[in-house]
Amino acid sequence: MVDTAQRPASSPASATPETSGDTGPIALNSDLAAAHVDVAALGRQLLGTWADVRLAAREVTARPDMQRIEGLSMADHRLRVLDQLKVLAANGHVHRAFPKYLGGSDDHGGNIAGFEELVIADPSLQIKGGVQWGLFGAAVLHLGTKPHHDKYLPGIMDLSVPGAFAMTEIGHGSDVASIGTTATFDEETSEFVINTPFRAAWKDYLGNAAKDGIAAVLFAQLITQGVNHGVHAFYLPIRDENNEFLPGIGGEDDGLKGGLNGIDNGRLHFDNVRIPRENLLNRYGDVAADGTYSSSISSPGRRFFTMLGTLVQGRVSLDGAATAASALALTIAITYGSQRRQFTAGDADEEVILDYQRHQRRLFPRLATTYAQTFAHDEFLVKFDEVFSGKADTDDDRQDLETLAAALKPLSTWHALDTLQEAREACGGAGFLAENRLVGLRADLDVYATFEGDNNVLLQLVAKRLLTDFSRKFASADAGALARYVVQQAAGRAYHGSGLRTLAQTVTDFGSTARSVGALRDTNVQRELLTDRVETMIGEVAAHLRSATKMPKKQAAALFNSHQNELIEAAKAHAELLQWEAFTRALEATEDPGTKRVLTWLRDLFGLGLVEKNLAWYLIHGRLSGQRALSVTAYIDRLIARIRPHAQDLVDAFGYTQDHLRASISSGIERERQEEAREYYREQRASGTAPRAEKQAKK
C-alpha cells in the first residue's frame, strides 16, 4: 500500500449534474462528497469466505525465502522451488484438502484459497505445488480408495514422494478420451502392462517428470479381456532410489520454456511396464483377478466425465491465481501512475499520468473486471467446497461446478494476460524491467490460457452444456423459449417474457442523453441488457442446430462446426453475466454507504463496459439506437472520472504490501524522484537562476 497524501480530491470532468436512475436529479459534486472507500472493510470483503486462510498464505508469500529471484538459471530456479515446496510440506500449508486421519483438514475450499495465493510469491511455486498436491495427490485422493490413501498419500503429503500427473500426450491434450497410452490386463500375472505404442502417445509437459518425480498417476486406456473400457488412472513408480528411470520407462526434459522455469516439465514413455492390479485407482472402475471389469457407472461416457470432474480443482485454482495476478499488476500500475508525472498543462508542474483520461481508460475498466472476477471466484470456490465436502454432491451439482469452472477459468486467465500487458505498457520502460515483475508474470501466466483445458475448448463445453439443458427442458419449444432458460443458469431467477423487447423500445425512446444515462445506472436495466444478449445468442444458435438431431453424424458435426464461433461467443457472454451477477450481489452486501457508492460506479463500469464492447451486437439486433449507444460511452467516461479519486484506495483494498508487490516502481521511489525534480525547479525559479525559454528570450 502506498502513501495517499497526493490523491486528487475531485475531477473537473465530474462537475456537471446528471440524473440518477434511482434517486432523481442529483449533483455530481454531492455524489463525490459522499463517496469514499473504507479500505479495511473492503479489503476484508475481497478476501472472501476463506479470509483467514488467505491472510496466513500472504504471510508465507511475503517471506523472501519463498519468493522468486529474477535472473536465476533454470537449474537454480528449479532447485529453489523444490526447496520452497519442502517448506510448504513441513508447515502443513498444502495439506488442508487431505483426510483428517492422515493429518489434513478436509477443507477443500480453504485449500484452494491458500494455494492460489502462492502465485504472488512465484507462479512456478504455485504450479509445481499444484502438480504435487492438487493433481498427483488429488488424483490418488479422488480416484483411489482407502487402501490407496493409506499407502500413497502420506508420502505425497510430506513430499518424500514427488510425483507427476501423466495425462497429456504429445498427440492429445484437450481430447483426453482419445489418448494412446494403454494399460492391458494380464490375467496370468494379475498385472497391468503399460505401453505408449507410438511417439504421439508419449506423455508430455508433465511437471515433476523431468527431474524430481519418482512416481506418477498415469492415465491410460484400460483394456481387459479384449475390451477397451476407456481412460482410467493408475499409480506407478517411475524412478529408483538413485533417481534413475525404472526398466521400461524413459523420458526427456522439456527444457527452457517461455515461463514457469522453476518447474521441471518433461516427457515420459513406457515399454511393457508392469504394475500390480491393485495400482489401478479404482473408485469408479475395477478389474477382478480373473479380468472381469466392473463399475458403479454403467455408461462409459458418464464414467469418464465423472472421473475427470473430480479433478476440476486445477481450473478453480487457476481462476483465483489469475485474478490475483491481475490485482497485483493493477496495484503496481495504478500506484506508479499516481506518482509518475509527464508533460505540463500550462503551469510549472508536470501532470500525474493517472490524471490523463486515456490512462484511466486503459486501467480502470480492467480494475472493474478484476473486482467482478474476485467476487465471482469466491462464489465459485464456495460451490466447489460444497461439492467436494459432500454438502451438495449430486450429479447436477457436479455438472454445474464443471460448467462454472469451464466458464470462469477462460475469462480470468485471458484477462490476466491482457491486464499484465496493459499494465506493463502503462508503466512505460519501467514496466519492461524485470525488477518490476510485470514482464515475468506475463511470461509465467501465458500458459494458463491453455493448460487445465484450452480456453476455447472449455467455452465450447459450456455452450454444449447450455444447449443440452435447453433440449431437455424444451424438447418441443421454439427458439425463444429455449433461450430464456439461460436466465435461470445465470441469475437464478426468471424474468418477464416480453420485458427485454420492451426494454429495447424504452431505450430507443429516451428523450435525452441524461435520461438514458439515468436508466443505464439502474441495476435491472443492466441485468436485462446483458441477459438479453445471452438469451438471444443461445436462441439463435439453438435454432440453427435443431435440425442436427435428424442428420447423419458427420453432417451434424459439420453443422455444429459452422456455428462454433457463435457458440463460444455465447458462452463468453454467459460467463460475463455470471461475473456481473456476482459483483452485484457483493455490492448489495456492502454496508458502508460511501464504499457502496464507489463500488456501484465500478460495477456500472464493468456492466456497461460489456455493453460498450459489444455495441455492434446491440445495434445490429435493434436493442439500442445509435444515439443511445453513444450515451453508453458518454456515461462510461463520467464513471471513469468519478472513480479516479478512489483508484488508489481500490487497489490498496486488494491487500498487497510492498513485500508482496516487490516492484521498485510501487515502493514510493518514483514519488521521491518527482519531488526531488520539482524542488530543484522551484528553487531555480525562486532564486531567479532558471534559464529563460528560447521563445521568451526573443521577446
Side-chain angles (χ1 to χ4, degrees), residues 395-415:
D395 284 345
D396 285 345
D397 289 319
R398 286 190 172 271
Q399 289 177 25
D400 288 347
L401 175 64
E402 291 159 23
T403 304
L404 192 57
L408 295 183
K409 181 264 184 181
L411 267 61
S412 60
T413 53
W414 275 330
H415 173 69

Side-chain angles (χ1 to χ4, degrees), residues 150-288:
D150 294 343
K151 184 175 182 179
Y152 301 127
L153 286 182
I156 294 172
M157 291 170 67
D158 67 17
L159 200 61
S160 59
V161 181
F165 182 78
M167 176 183 284
T168 298
E169 297 180 354
I170 295 173
H172 288 94
S174 298
D175 186 8
V176 176
S178 299
I179 60 176
T181 302
T182 58
T184 305
F185 187 66
D186 183 343
E187 297 172 26
E188 293 184 4
T189 62
S190 196
E191 294 174 318
F192 286 99
V193 183
I194 311 297
N195 277 290
T196 45
F198 42 83
R199 180 63 186 256
W202 284 23
K203 301 296 182 180
D204 204 354
Y205 319 118
L206 314 178
N208 283 339
K211 181 176 177 290
D212 297 327
I214 63 173
V217 168
L218 175 84
F219 290 80
Q221 305 285 351
L222 190 160
I223 301 169
T224 182
Q225 296 180 341
V227 177
N228 184 348
H229 293 279
V231 176
H232 287 64
F234 303 82
Y235 183 97
L236 76 162
I238 60 174
R239 286 186 173 92
D240 61 21
E241 61 276 7
N242 298 316
N243 212 40
E244 298 293 333
F245 282 122
L246 293 170
I249 300 175
E252 296 175 354
D253 195 320
D254 279 329
L256 190 67
K257 306 182 295 292
L260 297 178
N261 282 303
I263 307 171
D264 56 320
N265 295 89
R267 308 177 185 98
L268 295 174
H269 54 89
F270 307 91
D271 182 13
N272 291 315
V273 176
R274 290 179 172 269
I275 57 173
R277 178 175 65 91
E278 293 77 15
N279 283 32
L280 168 65
L281 300 179
N282 61 348
R283 178 178 177 183
Y284 295 107
D286 203 1
V287 174

Side-chain angles (χ1 to χ4, degrees), residues 303-365:
R303 184 191 315 131
F304 171 72
F305 284 109
T306 299
M307 286 192 286
L308 290 191
T310 65
L311 306 172
V312 72
Q313 63 193 52
R315 293 171 189 169
V316 184
S317 181
L318 290 184
D319 179 55
T323 301
S326 296
L328 187 84
L330 288 163
T331 303
I332 293 170
I334 288 175
T335 299
Y336 181 66
S338 298
Q339 299 174 5
R340 175 75 170 172
R341 292 176 178 271
Q342 205 79 172
F343 304 107
T344 60
D347 56 14
D349 279 339
E350 294 179 293
E351 294 293 312
V352 173
I353 63 173
L354 197 59
D355 286 342
Y356 290 108
Q357 185 197 55
R358 178 58 181 167
H359 211 76
Q360 297 165 11
R361 265 279 189 169
R362 297 169 72 183
L363 297 178
F364 292 177

